[in-house]
């Protein structure tokens, strides 16, 4: 960044020039361009006794296992001198070594050069909930024993997630448990984008792809994560209630949960099953039903069967595009049965509007083959299908400006692949259906024996019945995640 130069007729005194130079140097340092490696390491690395204590607590799944490291910092007369000092901004990095093509192991090695290796966790080895329970639990235990260094470290801690949207969502969900348990503050989160779409990363200024000059960029990212401001992110709980006895091959993001009572205040088209099975999950970006989810489902299965075809984001996108054509997403007019073209045949949509407690039935356009409920401005690798709406149009439709923390989901539809493609390049708009503070989808099979759904990039095949309805309920999680803004 160049310092602004004065015009030829501008007179400045020596103090002003000195101040300008100091500001420029400070900005360069804060941007991570010139910050020395050792200075960064000192800023983000915890004292050794805390790193070792966290490591032992996680390894044994017991927060008391690290207490011997705490004991080493005290004597019969009190704390040893000099007392350990907390890092200026301690960081913990979670890395999905399976993301980012072949970069995972190299990235992990680079991170170990810049910070304590005990602060870097490979998600193929450690689940983030284990770090929350035992790692942070260990810090909180030390703080309760009067350890001011552990207390400051816990309060200042920030998280960096190196992975795709699914990985980021996984970590955010585990961190959100801290608020439920009354263990505030919840550490804010930054992102190193290693996935294919990286829409969460894009939305908060961390970029849409793993940088080409990644070794220098990683240092800059860690530095930015220490001082950048934060903002809030809505998350949404999804609950599927389906007739019991039907097998569902659920993705990792959905977990079986206890049976819930279905709200019978709503008029339904099908029968309520006597017994139901329930699955629950959380999403941060989007949930969709229809043809786009079917394409994603086929792509994921192909990638799992032939992993050598997908070695990185570029090859993933090429294969995905080809699979879209193969599935008929671009050839709606060629389908033999017109009754199977639109979601209107199997789907009924109820929403609660902003600041309303009443459910409202919203008609689904007959041409729509895919419905998306979107939380962010970024979808499908940085596109914004909801678009930037004109004030008069929003007023007519009863919409408000869309934001990631407004407590609303934008619900829209795609007619077919061509329509989706033109929307993505902003030649036309998606079919705006609603803005909703809560959503219920009711699905009945009819001629359809199954539907396809996806949540933040994780697709699944949803069995359907003609006699009994399946319900998908979506409502906002009360706690908003805390994200670090990268730019």
């Amino acid at each position: 960044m160049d310092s602004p130069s004065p015009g030829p007729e501008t007179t400045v005194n020596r103090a002003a020039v000195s101040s300008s130079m100091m500001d420029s140097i400070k900005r360069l340092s804060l941007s991570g361009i010139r910050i020395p490696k050792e200075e960064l390491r000192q800023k983000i690395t915890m004292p050794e006794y805390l790193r070792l204590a966290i490591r032992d607590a996680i390894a044994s799944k017991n927060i008391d296992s690290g207490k011997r490291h705490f004991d080493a910092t005290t004597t019969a007369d009190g704390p040893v001198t000099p007392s350990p000092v907390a890092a200026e901004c301690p960081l913990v990095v979670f890395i999905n070594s399976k993301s980012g093509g072949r970069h995972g192991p190299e990235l992990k090695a680079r991170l170990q050069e810049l910070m304590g290796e005990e602060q870097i966790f490979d998600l193929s080895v450690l689940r983030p909930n284990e770090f929350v329970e035992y790692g942070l639990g260990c810090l909180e235990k030390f703080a309760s024993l009067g350890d001011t260094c552990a207390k400051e470290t816990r309060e200042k801690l920030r998280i960096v997630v190196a992975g795709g949207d699914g990985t980021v969502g996984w970590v955010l969900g585990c961190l959100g448990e801290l608020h439920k348990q009354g263990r505030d503050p919840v550490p804010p989160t930054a992102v190193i984008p290693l996935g294919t779409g990286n829409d969460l990363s894009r939305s908060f200024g961390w970029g849409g792809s793993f940088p080409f000059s990644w070794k220098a960029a990683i240092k800059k990212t860690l530095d930015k994560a220490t001082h950048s401001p934060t903002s809030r992110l809505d998350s949404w709980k999804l609950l599927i209630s389906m007739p019991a006895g039907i097998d569902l091959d659920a993705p990792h993001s959905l977990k079986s949960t206890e049976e819930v009572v279905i709200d019978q205040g709503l008029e339904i088209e099908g029968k309520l099953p006597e017994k139901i099975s329930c699955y629950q999950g959380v999403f941060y970006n989007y949930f969709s039903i229809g043809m786009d989810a079917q394409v994603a489902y086929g792509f994921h299965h192909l990638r799992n069967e032939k992993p050598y075809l997908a070695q990185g984001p570029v090859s993933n996108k090429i294969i995905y595009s080809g699979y879209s054509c193969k599935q008929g997403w671009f050839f709606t007019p060629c389908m033999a049965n017109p009754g199977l073209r639109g979601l209107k045949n199997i789907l009924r949509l109820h929403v609660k509007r902003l600041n309303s407690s009443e459910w409202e039935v919203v008609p689904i356009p007959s041409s729509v083959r895919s419905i998306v409920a979107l939380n962010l401005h970024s979808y499908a690798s940085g596109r914004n299908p909801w678009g930037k709406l004109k004030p008069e149009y929003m007023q007519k439709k009863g919409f408000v400006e869309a934001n990631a923390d407004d407590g609303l989901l934008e619900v829209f539809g795609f007619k077919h692949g061509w329509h989706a493609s033109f929307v993505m390049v902003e030649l036309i708009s998606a079919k705006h259906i609603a803005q909703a503070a809560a959503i219920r989808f009711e699905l009945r099979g009819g001629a359809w024996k199954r539907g396809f759904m996806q949540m933040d990039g994780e697709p699944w095949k949803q069995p359907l019945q003609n006699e009994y309805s399946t319900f998908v309920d979506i409502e906002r999680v009360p706690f908003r995640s805390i994200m670090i803004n990268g730019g």
Side-chain angles (χ1 to χ4, degrees):
M1 183 182 298
D2 296 328
S3 299
S5 56
E9 299 180 6
T10 304
T11 303
V12 291
N13 58 37
R14 183 174 300 175
V17 173
S18 175
S19 175
S20 176
M21 290 178 62
M22 290 302 296
D23 288 342
S24 179
I25 292 170
K26 184 177 180 181
R27 286 195 299 270
L28 286 169
S29 176
L30 288 177
S31 69
I33 297 173
R34 294 186 180 176
I35 185 169
K37 182 194 296 186
E38 196 54 43
E39 182 180 327
L40 176 63
R41 184 180 180 90
Q42 185 176 358
K43 181 194 288 189
I44 65 178
T45 303
M46 301 178 195
E48 184 181 30
Y49 84 100
L50 290 180
R51 303 199 311 269
L52 297 178
I54 289 172
R55 180 200 63 188
D56 292 352
I58 293 173
S60 63
K61 293 182 170 50
N62 183 348
I63 62 173
D64 291 323
S65 294
K67 190 172 181 298
R68 62 190 178 91
H69 300 289
F70 168 78
D71 292 338
T73 66
T74 60
T75 66
D77 300 323
V80 297
T81 55
S83 299
V85 178
E88 181 182 334
C89 185
L91 296 182
V92 161
V93 179
F94 292 101
I95 179 170
N96 184 350
S97 57
K98 296 180 180 179
S99 296
R102 303 178 185 275
H103 289 300
E106 295 179 8
L107 174 58
K108 185 176 179 181
R110 173 62 171 164
L111 290 168
Q112 289 173 343
E113 295 176 7
L114 301 172
M115 61 195 302
E117 63 177 315
E118 298 87 359
Q119 293 170 231
I120 304 165
F121 299 100
D122 190 333
L123 291 170
S124 64
V125 178
L126 176 93
R127 294 175 178 270
N129 60 289
E130 294 173 332
F131 169 78
V132 168
E133 183 174 356
Y134 304 112
L136 294 186
C138 177
L139 287 179
E140 292 161 357
K141 176 74 172 182
F142 286 11
S144 70
L145 296 174
D147 186 340
T148 56
C149 179
K151 183 175 184 293
E152 289 182 23
T153 298
R154 173 67 180 87
E155 291 171 349
K156 294 177 178 179
L157 185 67
R158 291 188 165 201
I159 305 295
V160 178
V161 182
D165 288 342
T167 304
V168 178
W170 184 19
V171 173
L172 290 177
C174 294
L175 293 175
E177 292 297 312
L178 289 167
H179 180 74
K180 288 183 183 179
Q181 298 166 8
R183 295 168 60 193
D184 293 308
V186 176
T189 301
V191 184
I192 298 173
L194 294 184
T196 302
N198 298 311
D199 289 301
L200 270 168
S201 177
R202 295 173 194 269
S203 297
F204 292 94
W206 294 105
S209 61
F210 193 59
F212 181 76
S213 303
W214 63 271
K215 289 188 177 181
I218 295 307
K219 189 169 78 166
K220 181 177 178 181
T221 295
L222 295 180
D223 184 51
K224 287 171 68 176
T226 66
H227 63 78
S228 294
T230 62
S231 56
R232 297 283 178 164
L233 169 66
D234 285 332
S235 56
W236 298 85
K237 183 178 76 173
L238 179 140
L239 177 69
I240 297 176
S241 305
M242 54 188 286
I246 300 177
D247 291 332
L248 175 63
D249 186 12
H252 295 298
S253 55
L254 282 180
K255 305 298 180 186
S256 179
T257 186
E258 295 180 358
E259 182 175 330
V260 298
V261 178
I262 296 177
D263 182 0
Q264 300 188 26
L266 287 174
E267 178 185 349
I268 64 172
E269 291 187 339
K271 294 181 181 179
L272 285 173
E274 293 182 5
K275 293 184 178 181
I276 62 174
S277 297
C278 295
Y279 293 84
Q280 183 174 294
V282 173
F283 68 93
Y284 296 85
N285 192 0
Y286 69 92
F287 167 77
S288 71
I289 300 175
M291 195 66 196
D292 70 316
Q294 182 175 347
V295 171
Y297 180 84
F299 166 73
H300 276 254
H301 274 258
L302 177 65
R303 187 173 61 177
N304 290 337
E305 291 173 2
K306 301 177 180 180
Y308 57 85
L309 293 175
Q311 294 294 335
V314 175
S315 59
N316 282 347
K317 289 174 182 177
I318 293 172
I319 296 169
Y320 197 98
S321 299
Y323 204 86
S324 298
C325 296
K326 180 181 176 182
Q327 289 293 299
W329 187 208
F330 287 89
F331 302 104
T332 301
C334 301
M335 295 183 67
N337 186 351
L340 296 180
R341 292 179 188 169
L343 286 175
K344 183 179 180 181
N345 298 290
I346 66 164
L347 188 64
R348 197 176 192 201
L349 171 63
H350 302 257
V351 305
K352 286 183 180 179
R353 305 281 186 177
L354 181 65
N355 299 323
S356 174
S357 60
E358 300 296 323
W359 288 103
E360 175 185 336
V361 178
V362 176
I364 298 172
S366 59
S367 60
V368 166
R369 295 180 67 204
S370 175
I371 287 182
V372 180
L374 182 66
N375 186 42
L376 301 177
H377 290 286
S378 185
Y379 169 83
S381 300
R383 278 69 174 184
N384 181 12
W386 185 254
K388 295 181 180 180
L389 309 184
K390 295 181 179 179
E392 55 269 24
Y393 177 80
M394 290 196 293
Q395 185 175 6
K396 177 183 176 182
K397 290 286 190 177
F399 295 158
V400 297
E401 185 176 353
N403 289 297
D405 62 350
D406 58 8
L408 291 171
L409 290 169
E410 284 65 56
V411 185
F412 57 87
F414 294 127
K415 299 177 184 178
H416 44 68
W418 296 115
H419 178 235
S421 298
F422 293 148
V423 169
M424 294 308 175
V425 296
E426 300 182 0
L427 291 177
I428 58 177
S429 64
K431 295 286 290 185
H432 297 129
I433 296 174
Q435 275 186 320
I439 297 174
R440 163 171 284 187
F441 294 107
E442 180 189 357
L443 297 100
R444 290 179 61 203
W448 300 50
K449 301 303 180 185
R450 63 186 182 272
F452 291 87
M453 304 180 183
Q454 65 172 329
M455 185 168 71
D456 282 356
E458 284 200 77
W460 69 93
K461 187 188 298 184
Q462 180 65 49
L464 300 176
Q465 287 190 354
N466 186 31
E467 184 178 5
Y468 297 109
S469 292
T470 293
F471 300 93
V472 179
D473 290 286
I474 301 173
E475 62 179 11
R476 190 177 68 82
V477 176
F479 173 74
R480 288 182 169 95
S481 298
I482 307 171
M483 300 297 296
I484 303 172
N485 293 317

